[in-house]
Amino acid sequence: MAGVSTDPNKLGSIIFANMIENRKKGMLGANVYAVNPVHDHIGDQRCYASIASLPEAPELLIIAVPESLTLGLIRDAAKAGVRAAVIVTSGYAESGKKDVEREIGRIASGHGMRILGPNTIGLIDTWSGVDSLFLRPTKMLPDGKEISSLRRPLRGGVVVITQSGHLGEVISEELAANKVGIRALVGTGNQLDVSIEDVIQYFADDPYAKVMAVYLEGLRDGRRFMEVAAHAAERKPLVVFKVGKTQVGARAALTHTSSLVGDYGVYQAAFRQCGIIEAASVQELIDYSISLSLLPEAAGRRAAIVTNAGGVGAISADEAEKAGLQANQLEAEAQRRLRSVFRGEGFASNAALGNPIDLTASASTDAFVAATKQVLSLPQFDLALLLPTHQTPAIGTEIANKLSPVILEAKKPVAVCVIGNSDLASRIHLEFMSNGIPSFPTPERAVRALAAAASRRDCRNEAASFRKVVRIRPRASSSESRLSSLEVGKPLRSCGIAEPRSVVVRTIGDLGKLRGVPFPVACKLLTAQPLHKKDIGGVMLGIGTSAEAESVFSRFRRLAARRGLAFEGMLAQEMVADGTELILGSTRDPTFGPVIALGMGGTYTELIRDHALAVAPVGPAEVKKMLELTKLGRILGGYRGEPKVDEEGLCKLVSSFSRILIENPSIEQIEVNPLIATTTSILAVDARMILKKDHR
Amino acid sequence: MAGVSTDPNKLGSIIFANMIENRKKGMLGANVYAVNPVHDHIGDQRCYASIASLPEAPELLIIAVPESLTLGLIRDAAKAGVRAAVIVTSGYAESGKKDVEREIGRIASGHGMRILGPNTIGLIDTWSGVDSLFLRPTKMLPDGKEISSLRRPLRGGVVVITQSGHLGEVISEELAANKVGIRALVGTGNQLDVSIEDVIQYFADDPYAKVMAVYLEGLRDGRRFMEVAAHAAERKPLVVFKVGKTQVGARAALTHTSSLVGDYGVYQAAFRQCGIIEAASVQELIDYSISLSLLPEAAGRRAAIVTNAGGVGAISADEAEKAGLQANQLEAEAQRRLRSVFRGEGFASNAALGNPIDLTASASTDAFVAATKQVLSLPQFDLALLLPTHQTPAIGTEIANKLSPVILEAKKPVAVCVIGNSDLASRIHLEFMSNGIPSFPTPERAVRALAAAASRRDCRNEAASFRKVVRIRPRASSSESRLSSLEVGKPLRSCGIAEPRSVVVRTIGDLGKLRGVPFPVACKLLTAQPLHKKDIGGVMLGIGTSAEAESVFSRFRRLAARRGLAFEGMLAQEMVADGTELILGSTRDPTFGPVIALGMGGTYTELIRDHALAVAPVGPAEVKKMLELTKLGRILGGYRGEPKVDEEGLCKLVSSFSRILIENPSIEQIEVNPLIATTTSILAVDARMILKKDHR
């Protein structure tokens, strides 16, 4: 421990005190030493002048000294064979000192030493007792009294991985307040060496880690993140909250695809593909960690809602539908049996036993418990939400302790909702939590936490199938580097996407070639400039005769001249029969590399925004999932009596298309819009390609 | 007070004890009497055998006796001139006893007596001291000790109006826990007499009521609700949470319109039209009540976000964008001044002063306060969110009391976010609340509560313009009752909607009439049965010759025969030039009466669901707002270089259309799809009408 000072409020002193405390409690098995070249004792603890003078070579060095002293310490530690260091202080790359970080990294990697930080809250490992959190658990009030200002985490199964120190503490504190313990809290800070991916990979195979909760601001290497995340998600639930959803819009929107592919959109697609459960807020990250760490796996999504108050029951039913849970009606026979149990017991005649199963305010504690027991035994439900409102006179203060054994015996995922802001409300809530039953203060949060638990199986399957997708090595085609942006047909044909019959008309003389294409034809202005041709009048449909085509050609030439475009002629193309217009595009995301977009095409593509994204490459099964995420999927499946499209063929085609940018490093973006799908054909009616700058 | 018993846990005894207590405290000015024919004393309180034997005629009678005894009490009260009664007991209409309720209503209205309930928690009026809440504030633990189980409300300005007793208490308790008082809590119960509309109307003009918070399950008379709600919303904020969002789908979806018009969709439209602020959950209802009752009115939606922690700042920025607040960058000059204030004060060089204005963890309490003061003084911001995270060592425990005067002096709406689950977190939160500054535990909730306050001005304007919409009296056209469902053109023409030139072909002989319409034409099967003609092949476009038209006619005849439809001929219609396809429909909602839907039309109307609803009639200004709610609005405004449509003309046309169902009682639904809008014309290319059963 370097940075211990005579001021007990300094970061290093707080950390040192915590570590000594953990050592005394027996939580920490290793010895703790202070390194301080100035003092030989601080309080009753001895200080050593240097790492070299320590009685044994340390395994871990915690550094809480100013940036200027770090490099020397790292050199000493490397020489002494220290295997890991945590640098909690700030003032490094985030303040412009990138050189120092680079030098630290060089020394560390040369000696096989790993570094967490700098600029991080570091690490709390509740199982080993290592704890570099530099925040005091109490603060001083103006009157001099101490007040508890930060709850220490409890030991448990949740791994909190965070790119914000503050939110890491908040999450761990909130879990502790709910009696849920953590396996570890790791702040990745500047990620000089240890990255968020390293941490996820480590805990994926850690036997004490049950759930990982990640607060994410951004990634450096999206592909590696997806690999380790899928590896982890196959083994245990991985919940991520991503901040920074606002589209920065810095990327030039030269194609529809680049306008559809927002930064956050790609993150969402990546999360889905590798089996991550996405939380919409820090609160949800906490709630999902609670439900996923406590609940058994759900066999399905059929939910029973049991309550003694109509309002919260109705709210839960609304939210269940939104969250994708099915709150099917209690079968008639089950309703009859439920009623018979309570015959003569004052079971309200107006109890509505459909679902929500509303036992009404007259239901006693015992009636609520008995009804719950019966409902949980029904095979028609995979999981349940219980809302025993304790304000009614009929419910006793012992409701939590009477319900808990019934819930635990059922071995189905069950969440409870305890609403209220009184001593009794908080007592009942904590009783449930202490019994290992997730309890939430609003019906909406309870339903969503339950739904997160219900999605676990699908996520594991997603992760597994992601890992099966063949990793295709780039196999650049020999002609690749000589592509011109007008030759978009080449890469398309190579993945099996055909175009309508067409001829290129470069001069008036070329108009004779039109004999090869049956009239009417569609005429399109040819120019290398990337632009939306339709927007400037560069597309004319239904041209019926040679004479008309000739006049269109002249018009395009004038149009190009007026707009200052390089006129490269006109494309005359067979008109394609009515079909569904799709957009299929691929672009390079700075974080995740090649991604694809698939959705409703045509003029209003960007307005309707009915599309799904995926990080490339994708297999046909993933394409099918993408279609399910869009309304397009319903159209292709034969919406309102329209003919169905060959979905299997389309999925294979899109899967091949997804490899274009991987196999052709010179292509920056490629887009087919519209791709017209009919029952018999899938044709690229218009396509555009943008090459990388150095290939143009 | 009727229903006081020797058992202190009975509803009547609890209410009586509360009222006596309020009388003793001086909160209640009136005398309280117990009516009980069996006992002459209960405890030290005298009981009277009947209402007639009371020493004075009561103003209010609270009834907590079983249903069988109520009628007699009501009769006695009516005779004694009692002006109001609250019936808290249940077992009336909700248990099938509608007759009893009807009889009570008859007696009461005959004597000018108003009734609240039955089956309700009744009324807490914190200003008069009337309090019929029958829930005890404490409960007994298994060990015999008492525990606080329900906080009593504080006196203040929020009116809680609820259709669920349980949620009414929960809301009032949560407000009390946040130091926010209520003007009244009213449970409307079965609404035998006093309805939710009556209560809103009453408090609209009550000087103590500052904000109304309504928990709504359903309405009986949507029109009256809108009238009183708009009246109220012009005067004070009206926040509503509506439960029951799930589409029941019971209404037969014979037209696109009826499929677009969900029950909840109409509620949402009605809320918007009459200036209601809609909350998405009970939590939001509470949060919005807090911010709206404490904050001054915002001049605009430009928000400053001040924090000392990057993560919560970023989360707030995301949420602000979602909530329609503008978090514009701090101007360069203001940034420079902000930096200069802290020169030499250890103001972190890496502080990001854009917006979020992140002072970083090194900012002290005083620095945070000074920065806040400066930011709040900037004219570029209308409101602000402060996120002073107290876990950092630099922030002292006195942060709330130091920030509060600065916030209050600024006279701009400011919310704070206090994150954490420690004694200090709750202390700081309550200090802010006690100082009258709304404080929330998550950034998202704080941002949304602030956005609700920022929407107040728009809501008042909405309410005012709603009240200005001329109330049109039905003026049934003389031919109205003789309409056939094929004569849909009549009501359309009467509101200025033209159709393309067309002829009706009833027999082969009629084909000669086609000379009046230029080829190509569109041919449509005519049949009185309501169905989607396109789905069954009953629409053929681009028919170029008489011979083709004849073959289509024969084909339609065969189609009708095969499907068992009454064949009424074929409509041959001029093909309309390319334009934007709209749907414009009107149907009758069981709660709100005639409503209209306007949105993107064409084949995928129901799939794309880009439409806005409104309760009819609407003025042209409201139609413009409907367009702004849809993507259609952007298309009509000239999306991507396409020609603009005559928006003003369209708004007038839709406004006229919105009166059709009001003026024609025989029409159940009418729908134009597509209505094709071009720069020069708006034509009803296809339209359908369904008459009421007794008019068919």
Side-chain angles (χ1 to χ4, degrees), chain B residues 365-384:
Chain B
T365 304
D366 290 339
F368 200 105
V369 172
T372 298
K373 188 169 182 147
Q374 211 176 333
V375 169
L376 291 182
S377 74
L378 296 171
Q380 78 164 105
F381 295 119
D382 303 309
L383 37 84

Side-chain angles (χ1 to χ4, degrees), chain A residues 304-306 330 338 357 370-379 381 384 412:
Chain A
I305 300 168
V306 185
L330 198 63
L338 202 52
I357 298 154
T372 298
K373 188 170 181 144
Q374 211 176 332
V375 170
L376 291 182
S377 74
L378 295 172
F381 295 118
K412 285 181 182 175

Side-chain angles (χ1 to χ4, degrees), chain A residues 360-411:
Chain A
T360 79
S362 57
S364 65
T365 304
D366 290 340
F368 200 105
V369 173
T372 298
K373 188 170 181 144
Q374 211 176 332
V375 170
L376 291 182
S377 74
L378 295 172
Q380 77 164 104
F381 295 118
D382 303 309
L383 37 83
L385 171 65
L386 309 181
L387 305 109
T389 69
H390 56 267
Q391 290 89 350
T392 61
I395 296 290
T397 52
E398 70 288 9
I399 181 76
N401 286 333
K402 283 197 171 176
L403 264 179
S404 297
V406 170
I407 294 169
L408 296 172
E409 271 160 31
K411 301 200 190 310

